Amino acid sequence: MQGSTQPDDTRAELYVRSLLPDGHTQQQAGMIDRLDALTDGDALSDLTVHVVGRQIPSTPADARTDMGLFALNRVSVFQEWAKRNDCSLEPAFRLRSVESEISGEQYRALVFPIQLLAEYRGAKLTCVTPHTADGETVTVTDRLRMLERNEETTAFSPLERASAPPPATGPEAAIEVEAEAEAIDEDSDPLLPE
C-alpha cells in the first residue's frame, strides 16, 4: 500500500471501525481493495488505513491512548476543513453520553463513522468523506466512484499543513485500539448501502 511520498502526491487515509459485524467487515475490505486499485493506477500515490474504535473521548484530557489522541486531532482537522468549505460532517460524527463499564463514570464520546476517507495533496487536506455540501451527502462509496472515473465535481479549498504523524503501530497499538473500542450493542450501525 505504500507509494511515493513526493510533496505533490495525492494520498488517502481510510479510517475504518473495528469490532463490526461481518457484513461491515466485508464492505470495508471492498473499500480497501478499490483504494488499492487506485494506488496501483495514477489516482493515488499512497494509502494508509487506520482502525479506530466505535467512539473516542471528546476531549484530549479524556483520551488515554496515542490512537485516541491521533483520532481526536484528525477529527478537529476534518471539522476545520468542513467549515472552510461550507460542508457538514454530520451525521458522520456525533456526540453521545457513555458510561464507563470499568469505572461507572459518565463521559461524552465522539462516535466515529463506520468509514471515513481523507484525501491529501502533499500536506494539504483536499477532501473528507462522508460530507454534506449544498444539501447533498457524498458517501465514501460515492467518492470512490468519482476517483475511479477520474472526475472532480467540486473544487474544495484545501486545508494547509493538515498532516499529522501516525499513531504507534505494532502489538502496543492493537491493545490501544481494543482499549478505545466498545463492544457492539443494540444501537449498532446498519450495513452501508452499496
Side-chain angles (χ1 to χ4, degrees):
M1 285 189 229
Q2 298 298 317
S4 171
T5 56
Q6 299 291 333
D8 59 345
D9 283 341
T10 302
R11 62 187 175 80
E13 293 177 346
L14 179 66
Y15 294 80
V16 295
R17 271 217 231 138
S18 62
L19 303 176
L20 292 173
D22 285 340
H24 287 291
T25 305
Q26 292 166 352
Q27 288 176 338
Q28 289 175 343
M31 291 290 170
I32 293 169
D33 289 344
R34 290 172 71 184
L35 285 163
D36 277 339
L38 289 169
T39 305
D40 292 341
D42 293 333
L44 294 173
S45 60
D46 190 40
L47 170 65
T48 305
V49 178
H50 297 285
V51 179
V52 295
R54 174 181 171 82
Q55 60 199 22
I56 58 173
S58 61
T59 66
D62 292 331
R64 295 187 175 113
T65 65
D66 288 343
M67 186 60 200
L69 287 171
F70 173 79
L72 195 55
N73 171 276
R74 295 291 77 205
V75 170
S76 176
V77 170
F78 299 157
Q79 289 171 334
E80 187 177 340
W81 174 88
K83 183 177 178 181
R84 172 176 288 198
N85 287 285
D86 294 323
C87 294
S88 173
L89 299 181
E90 298 205 7
F93 292 101
R94 61 188 188 281
L95 283 173
R96 73 180 230 180
S97 292
V98 177
E99 184 174 323
S100 171
E101 292 178 11
I102 298 170
S103 68
E105 295 176 1
Q106 289 268 348
Y107 65 94
R108 291 182 58 92
L110 185 64
V111 178
F112 227 80
I114 292 172
Q115 56 198 11
L116 178 136
L117 182 65
E119 298 169 58
Y120 299 86
R121 182 163 283 119
K124 297 176 184 177
L125 178 62
T126 58
C127 190
V128 177
T129 311
H131 65 263
T132 301
D134 300 323
E136 183 179 332
T137 299
V138 178
T139 67
V140 174
T141 301
D142 296 334
R143 184 65 186 152
L144 278 176
R145 278 190 209 111
M146 290 178 209
L147 292 171
E148 289 165 341
R149 294 179 187 153
N150 201 21
E151 63 185 47
E152 186 59 50
T153 57
T154 55
F156 292 116
S157 177
L159 185 61
E160 300 284 333
R161 296 179 301 279
S163 292
T169 59
E172 303 84 23
I175 293 168
E176 288 184 2
V177 167
E178 289 177 16
E180 293 282 347
E182 175 181 278
I184 300 167
D185 57 17
E186 63 276 353
D187 68 346
S188 287
D189 298 303
L191 290 178
L192 299 170
E194 284 298 319

